[in-house]
Amino acid sequence: MALSDLGLDLQRLPAPLPIWRALVARDVWSTVARTIAAGGGRLVSVWGVDRRASGNGMAACAAFAVFEGLVWLELRQGDETPRFPDLSGAFPCAGRMQRAMADLSGLPAEGSLDDRPWLDHGLWSGGPSPLRHESQPQAAAAGTLPADYPFVRVEGDGVHEIAVGPVHAGIIEPGHFRFSVVGEKVLRLEERLGYTHKGIERRFTELAPQDAHRLAGRVSGDSTVAYAWAYCMALESAWRCEIPVRAVWLRALMLERERVANHLGDLGALGNDAALAFGLAQFSRLREDWQRRSLEAFGHRFMMDAVVPGGVAIDLAPPMLDRLRQQCDDIEQDVRALKAVYDEHAGLQDRFLATGRVTPQLAAQLGLTGLAGRASGQVADLRCDHAWAPYDRFAVAMATHRNGDVAARVTMRFEETFESLRLIRAMCSGLPDGAVRADLQPPAAAAASMGAGWVEGWRGEVFVALEIGSDGRIVRCHCHDPSWQNWPVLEHAVIGNIVPDFPLINKSFNLSYSGHDL
């Protein structure tokens, strides 16, 4: 499918990656979605915008990934009750995004088969949605929260329910999982999320555009570099700012360090969930060494606030670049030795193989994305598909598998770790000279502006859509985490497995609660 097949008046945004935007009518909204789905495209995100404060009404927006890049569609709403045509028929992953859009922006999907609240746990019911122009903070009614949620019931001989969460045994974020089981075999899993909703998208509208990167970097702490880069890319796109080449390379170096840190942590936790405490001990040691070096180099273990509008906040001297490069050599030697242990450990492989399998066909149907998608044969990685600077210099090798089980997702982490270590070494060796930050200024003419950021984080693609009003204030900043696509797939991955394997399957996806709940 080519962009010309969509029949749209597309306007290219000035972003490092190919991103287009177009206004559409109601009938075109649905037609384009079906055309993109039939052509193998993906739904990235759905969100609503309220511009009534400036007299421009409300709008429904959707972002699609196609072969040529990303297409951002906008469907403006009239004065009648705002609604937009349901997208879940073409893209099943749209269901929860649309339910969240109804909760947050008061824009329900017309024709949707599931209109249950998703992020709203009863606080906003009966009042204006929190992202509506007229919304004001509301006091919680005593004894009414959280509101009852109508889970789907499974009935039959021997069927019973197991409720897990939202409070868990470990120090992890809250989420509720309702299992319907016979014996120990899972017949159905239904999730209930939203417990970590923090009002982030509303908070964006209260911040100056130059300051909001710090909030973006806290949407999901383990992906702080990816979110901060996506936000800064959107702002730099909206304000037509070119950033120094050295700054772009340093951003990519941090992004790959973030990827390695998370993969090291997950590999240890997956070994531990399969009763190999040795794996947890060794990978925890490696991750700790890795994050301590990040603290030395960038001033923060997670590299928070190191990516800033116009570039980066910290430059690296040659001695530190040498130390980062040397650490990659040391870490790789240890990780290769541990991979051999994992591959040859019969008990570990017995737990990993064929557990939590998502077939390539199911992955494509449900929109599984990122690392988990590539483990199920979904060939998509922005660093390869739309290689922007500096990735266009390195010929990034995309790791993919087709088994779609825990073992495949573990192997993906090993292979991506090795590739990221190679990239970091190359970036440290070839880092260009020059400034690390450009002066970022709003346009001289008082006019509304829009921009988008699209970055391949360690879980998958992180997307930020930013709209700034003519007064220089943020009208809407929408942040999208790949966990939105992948949480529903987890429900399918556990079907037919035993309940004790759920922690292992869940960890092999390692999805974000905070990035999803916003």
Side-chain angles (χ1 to χ4, degrees), residues 1 47 51 66 72 114 189 213 233 278 406 429 470:
M1 185 202 74
W47 69 100
R51 305 190 188 104
V66 297
W72 170 356
D114 189 351
L189 166 64
H213 66 284
M233 186 186 295
F278 167 80
V406 171
S429 298
S470 58

Side-chain angles (χ1 to χ4, degrees), residues 61-76:
C61 298
F64 302 91
V66 297
F67 178 76
E68 290 92 338
L70 185 134
V71 176
W72 170 356
L73 299 185
E74 179 178 316
L75 172 61
R76 293 181 176 173

Side-chain angles (χ1 to χ4, degrees), residues 148-225:
D148 289 336
Y149 184 75
F151 288 96
V152 175
R153 301 296 296 272
V154 177
E155 298 180 350
D157 292 341
V159 178
H160 66 284
E161 288 186 345
I162 300 175
V164 178
V167 179
H168 299 284
I171 305 175
I172 64 173
E173 295 174 287
H176 183 86
F177 302 94
R178 186 70 59 93
F179 297 88
S180 297
V181 303
V182 171
E184 284 197 327
K185 181 173 287 189
V186 178
L187 298 179
R188 175 184 173 87
L189 166 64
E190 187 170 3
E191 301 156 351
R192 177 65 168 136
L193 304 177
Y195 294 94
T196 68
H197 179 73
K198 303 165 288 296
I200 282 179
E201 293 189 309
R202 177 63 181 257
R203 178 62 177 146
F204 270 117
T205 65
E206 301 166 352
L207 298 175
Q210 298 95 324
D211 299 331
H213 66 284
R214 299 186 69 248
L215 180 60
R218 287 157 176 79
V219 169
S220 185
D222 57 13
S223 302
T224 182
V225 174

Side-chain angles (χ1 to χ4, degrees), residues 235-276:
L235 179 60
E236 290 150 7
S237 167
W239 283 359
R240 312 298 197 265
C241 173
E242 293 287 339
I243 71 171
V245 175
R246 185 178 178 91
V248 176
W249 281 58
L250 288 169
R251 286 180 177 182
L253 190 153
M254 286 187 277
L255 186 67
E256 296 310 313
R257 286 193 65 87
E258 181 171 84
R259 196 181 317 276
V260 171
N262 282 285
H263 288 350
L264 293 176
D266 285 352
L267 287 168
L270 284 161
N272 190 59
D273 281 347
L276 185 66

Side-chain angles (χ1 to χ4, degrees), residues 205-456:
T205 65
E206 301 166 352
L207 298 175
Q210 298 95 324
D211 299 331
H213 66 284
R214 299 186 69 248
L215 180 60
R218 287 157 176 79
V219 169
S220 185
D222 57 13
S223 302
T224 182
V225 174
Y227 272 101
W229 192 353
Y231 174 84
C232 290
M233 186 186 295
L235 179 60
E236 290 150 7
S237 167
W239 283 359
R240 312 298 197 265
C241 173
E242 293 287 339
I243 71 171
V245 175
R246 185 178 178 91
V248 176
W249 281 58
L250 288 169
R251 286 180 177 182
L253 190 153
M254 286 187 277
L255 186 67
E256 296 310 313
R257 286 193 65 87
E258 181 171 84
R259 196 181 317 276
V260 171
N262 282 285
H263 288 350
L264 293 176
D266 285 352
L267 287 168
L270 284 161
N272 190 59
D273 281 347
L276 185 66
F278 167 80
L280 176 63
Q282 294 302 313
F283 278 108
S284 296
R285 172 182 62 84
L286 295 178
R287 175 169 174 163
E288 178 64 22
D289 290 344
W290 191 259
Q291 291 187 305
R292 287 184 182 184
R293 187 61 50 82
S294 293
L295 173 63
E296 293 178 38
F298 300 102
H300 195 287
R301 290 168 57 88
F302 291 93
M303 298 170 289
M304 280 187 173
D305 303 328
V307 177
V308 297
V312 295
I314 296 175
D315 198 2
L316 298 180
M320 178 56 72
L321 292 171
D322 291 339
R323 294 178 65 193
L324 295 181
R325 187 167 53 245
Q326 181 60 49
Q327 187 183 37
C328 290
D329 295 338
D330 298 339
I331 290 283
E332 180 169 352
Q333 182 177 352
D334 286 344
V335 173
R336 289 195 182 277
L338 288 167
K339 183 178 187 301
V341 172
Y342 273 42
D343 290 345
E344 297 169 8
H345 194 289
L348 204 64
Q349 292 302 315
D350 181 64
R351 292 291 306 277
F352 286 174
L353 289 167
T355 301
R357 186 162 189 259
V358 180
T359 65
Q361 295 77 17
L362 182 62
Q365 178 185 353
L366 299 181
L368 186 64
T369 189
L371 177 147
R374 292 189 289 275
S376 292
Q378 306 310 296
V379 184
D381 186 327
L382 295 180
R383 299 173 300 165
C384 306
D385 301 337
H386 309 290
W388 74 104
Y391 291 109
D392 55 352
R393 298 280 299 271
F394 301 123
V396 178
M398 186 192 314
T400 59
H401 292 273
R402 294 188 61 82
N403 289 343
D405 54 6
V406 171
R409 292 185 283 274
V410 168
T411 302
M412 282 289 304
R413 286 176 166 88
F414 276 115
E415 294 185 2
E416 289 199 353
T417 296
F418 296 140
E419 179 64 6
S420 290
L421 292 173
R422 180 187 75 85
L423 294 173
I424 293 170
R425 280 193 289 259
M427 292 173 192
C428 289
S429 298
L431 186 66
D433 295 330
V436 297
R437 189 171 187 180
D439 185 27
L440 185 64
Q441 295 293 334
S449 56
M450 296 184 181
W454 199 22
V455 172
E456 188 70 33

